[in-house]
Amino acid sequence: MKIGFLGFGEVATTFSSGLKENGLDVYTCLNGRSSRTVENAVNSGVKLCNTHRELAEKSDILFSSVVPSMAVEVAKTVGNHSNGIYVDINNISPSTVKTALSKIKNGRTVDAAIIGSVKRNGLKVKIIASGTSAEEILNLNQHGMNITSVGQEAGDASTIKLLRSAYTKGVSALLYESLYHAYKLGINEEVLECISETETGDFIESANSRIVSASFHAKRRAEEMDEIVEFLSEHQNPIMAQATSKFFKNLSETIQKPSKRPENYTEVYKLLNGE
Amino acid sequence: MKIGFLGFGEVATTFSSGLKENGLDVYTCLNGRSSRTVENAVNSGVKLCNTHRELAEKSDILFSSVVPSMAVEVAKTVGNHSNGIYVDINNISPSTVKTALSKIKNGRTVDAAIIGSVKRNGLKVKIIASGTSAEEILNLNQHGMNITSVGQEAGDASTIKLLRSAYTKGVSALLYESLYHAYKLGINEEVLECISETETGDFIESANSRIVSASFHAKRRAEEMDEIVEFLSEHQNPIMAQATSKFFKNLSETIQKPSKRPENYTEVYKLLNGE
């Protein structure tokens, strides 16, 4: 099986050497690339094509791993020549992925999103994939990759990544804010320990319970958050706490307190939608 | 050892029956209490005092578990008569705890904060305690309680609880927001699964890495969040995502990108303080 890489940055470098070690032929095209990129590619022992067209025609699976701003452009360039499966693995928004994949004439496309760190995990990094040919690239798992299919629709994989990212970046900000106050008071280790104990346990169960409680006690949570905002304001402008307060206020006005505690989080969303 | 409870709501009911089962004498005073409270107390087999003064004089350890608005008032009432250790276990702010404890003339006081659910965990619920007599009440752990001392200062325990609460409530709001969008697109299970996998692992290590990365990549995070806000706006007013974006923008303007990646989160805060 021949694997192609459009672009040859960190992702392509890591994946191509891993896939080579696992017995696959790896190709790229270095036209117009920086000397650093050329050096990377040559060192990794990847085979070279003279043109992007040749690369696209030859590859059974062609990964697009370019700079985000080039994702649509490069898809246009090879769209008429891609004979195999075209996998967009760039870190771009769901709508940009869809635009890029729409340029691939044979329609054999995959929206792939890397979850986690390529630097830390190498070829084994978790990848989620959606789109018409998502199932077909799962055989790369026999060559050391770690791909999970998450649906037929192009855009689903990158949406899942984006929503995960909204969550994880928000958590970073929340931690930053809470621990900063603790640090100012000299009790940061105790606070971190206490939060850590809270977060040990089944995540999905706790997520359900949090969303259900949020809906059931939105008004009280908003009031409690007002006090927390006042407290945190002593050492910083507590942007996340203010937003949390606003979120619960907004929720208490949007959703009527259910007459009994919802069973799980999807019930809460059904309520919110008046279903 | 004689244990007293000022107030007899859910906390006192649960703790007193647990402590009785573990061989301790438990007292309360029911003057002016509702018939429901009286019934609760009588059913639990707690011994009765005629006055709060008598209760305060008799108790080796006296818990204040009243409605939050009464915490200071009740401390005033018994302040001159408390012979043993006075433990404020009410859900009140650090400054209110300090005010309440300042009324106790013998100075043997504890700021205690319940972490988690009394309903679910009963007498075994985690309690953190600070203040002059925090160490002394740890012998209640031999009678079925689960108290950890977190420092000498009154206010520390309730501050830790408050900062934990700022974090957990924010996480609830973040989950609510991200999963709501996923629900609208019919990929909520996939998103929850993906976030859950991300959150499995060592919490303290991941917290460190998140705060360090936040400081090191604040500008890029802010830009990424702008795209996420735009995306989420399709189905809701994404209050938390907006705040996360604002947080990172603010951070990138407040802290100069460190020349090398900080080792841990306290280094980040030192930078932020110009230490």
Side-chain angles (χ1 to χ4, degrees), chain B residues 63-188:
Chain B
F63 283 95
S64 168
S65 57
V66 295
V67 290
S69 58
M70 288 298 293
V72 173
E73 192 57 32
V74 80
K76 262 190 212 161
T77 309
V78 302
N80 288 328
H81 314 294
S82 181
N83 281 329
I85 300 171
Y86 184 93
V87 183
D88 190 310
I89 200 160
N90 298 299
N91 190 13
I92 51 181
S93 74
S95 63
T96 310
V97 170
K98 283 189 225 173
T99 307
L101 296 185
S102 73
K103 309 299 177 197
I104 308 303
K105 288 299 176 297
N106 74 355
R108 300 178 64 198
T109 58
V110 179
D111 166 16
I114 297 173
I115 305 292
S117 162
V118 171
K119 198 179 271 174
R120 258 201 303 278
N121 302 298
L123 189 64
K124 273 271 162 239
V125 71
K126 182 185 170 77
I127 294 172
I128 53 176
S130 68
T132 53
S133 299
E135 297 284 340
E136 290 178 69
I137 66 165
L138 297 184
N139 59 9
L140 287 173
N141 292 346
Q142 292 164 26
H143 301 275
M145 294 189 82
N146 175 19
I147 307 172
T148 309
S149 164
V150 291
Q152 289 289 309
E153 295 282 324
D156 281 357
S158 43
T159 300
I160 292 169
K161 176 173 179 158
L162 184 149
L163 293 174
R164 168 188 175 273
S165 179
Y167 171 82
T168 56
K169 288 192 177 68
V171 167
S172 298
L174 281 170
L175 275 171
Y176 200 107
E177 203 168 276
S178 302
L179 283 178
Y180 181 65
H181 197 100
Y183 174 80
K184 294 294 274 187
L185 301 178
I187 51 173
N188 45 299

Side-chain angles (χ1 to χ4, degrees), chain B residues 1-17:
Chain B
M1 189 161 48
K2 299 187 184 72
I3 310 296
F5 283 94
L6 293 162
F8 213 78
E10 189 189 1
V11 169
T13 306
T14 305
F15 287 0
S16 61
S17 53

Side-chain angles (χ1 to χ4, degrees), chain A:
Chain A
M1 189 161 47
K2 300 186 183 75
I3 311 295
F5 283 94
L6 294 162
F8 212 79
E10 190 189 0
V11 169
T13 307
T14 306
F15 287 0
S16 62
S17 54
L19 290 171
K20 266 172 47 59
E21 282 168 21
N22 280 275
L24 298 182
D25 282 338
V26 182
Y27 295 81
T28 193
C29 166
L30 296 170
N31 284 357
R33 305 307 308 273
S34 73
S35 55
R36 190 179 151 204
T37 303
V38 172
E39 205 185 314
N40 260 350
V42 170
N43 284 342
S44 73
V46 66
K47 293 173 187 170
L48 299 181
C49 296
N50 291 321
T51 62
H52 285 109
R53 178 177 177 157
E54 186 195 335
L55 178 63
E57 286 170 350
K58 188 173 276 182
S59 300
D60 298 306
I61 299 176
L62 180 60
F63 283 95
S64 168
S65 57
V66 295
V67 290
S69 58
M70 287 298 292
V72 173
E73 191 58 32
V74 81
K76 262 190 212 162
T77 309
V78 303
N80 288 328
H81 313 295
S82 182
N83 282 329
I85 300 170
Y86 185 92
V87 183
D88 190 311
I89 200 159
N90 298 298
N91 189 13
I92 52 181
S93 74
S95 63
T96 310
V97 171
K98 283 188 225 173
T99 307
L101 296 185
S102 72
K103 309 297 177 198
I104 308 303
K105 289 297 177 296
N106 74 356
R108 299 178 65 199
T109 57
V110 179
D111 166 17
I114 298 173
I115 306 291
S117 163
V118 171
K119 198 180 269 171
R120 259 201 302 277
N121 303 298
L123 189 64
K124 273 270 161 242
V125 71
K126 181 184 170 77
I127 292 172
I128 53 176
S130 68
T132 52
S133 298
E135 296 284 340
E136 290 178 70
I137 66 164
L138 297 184
N139 60 8
L140 288 174
N141 292 346
Q142 290 164 27
H143 301 275
M145 294 189 81
N146 175 19
I147 306 172
T148 309
S149 164
V150 291
Q152 289 289 310
E153 295 280 325
D156 281 357
S158 43
T159 300
I160 293 169
K161 177 173 177 155
L162 185 148
L163 293 173
R164 167 187 176 275
S165 180
Y167 171 81
T168 57
K169 289 192 176 67
V171 168
S172 299
L174 281 170
L175 275 170
Y176 200 107
E177 203 167 276
S178 302
L179 283 177
Y180 182 65
H181 196 102
Y183 174 81
K184 295 294 274 188
L185 300 178
I187 51 173
N188 45 297
E189 280 181 32
E190 288 83 352
V191 171
L192 185 52
E193 182 63 32
C194 186
I195 295 179
S196 165
E197 284 176 26
T198 305
E199 294 300 38
T200 308
D202 185 275
F203 183 83
I204 293 183
E205 191 183 309
S206 127
N208 256 295
S209 152
R210 279 171 168 167
I211 292 179
V212 168
S213 288
S215 75
F216 205 59
H217 302 298
K219 192 158 177 292
R220 197 175 80 201
R221 293 271 186 286
E223 288 160 9
E224 290 165 349
M225 281 310 301
D226 284 341
E227 282 192 37
I228 292 177
V229 167
E230 195 191 323
F231 182 79
L232 290 179
S233 299
E234 199 185 322
H235 289 299
Q236 63 193 319
N237 176 16
I239 294 170
M240 296 304 292
Q242 278 159 359
T244 308
S245 166
K246 191 172 155 194
F247 171 88
F248 281 110
K249 229 167 256 141
N250 183 54
L251 186 61
S252 72
E253 287 158 9
T254 317
I255 194 172
Q256 220 184 352
K257 185 171 171 168
S259 53
K260 68 179 189 63
R261 203 180 151 93
E263 295 270 329
N264 57 46
Y265 78 96
T266 52
E267 271 194 27
V268 173
Y269 293 149
K270 281 181 193 156
L271 278 175
L272 191 59
N273 286 335
E275 289 169 32

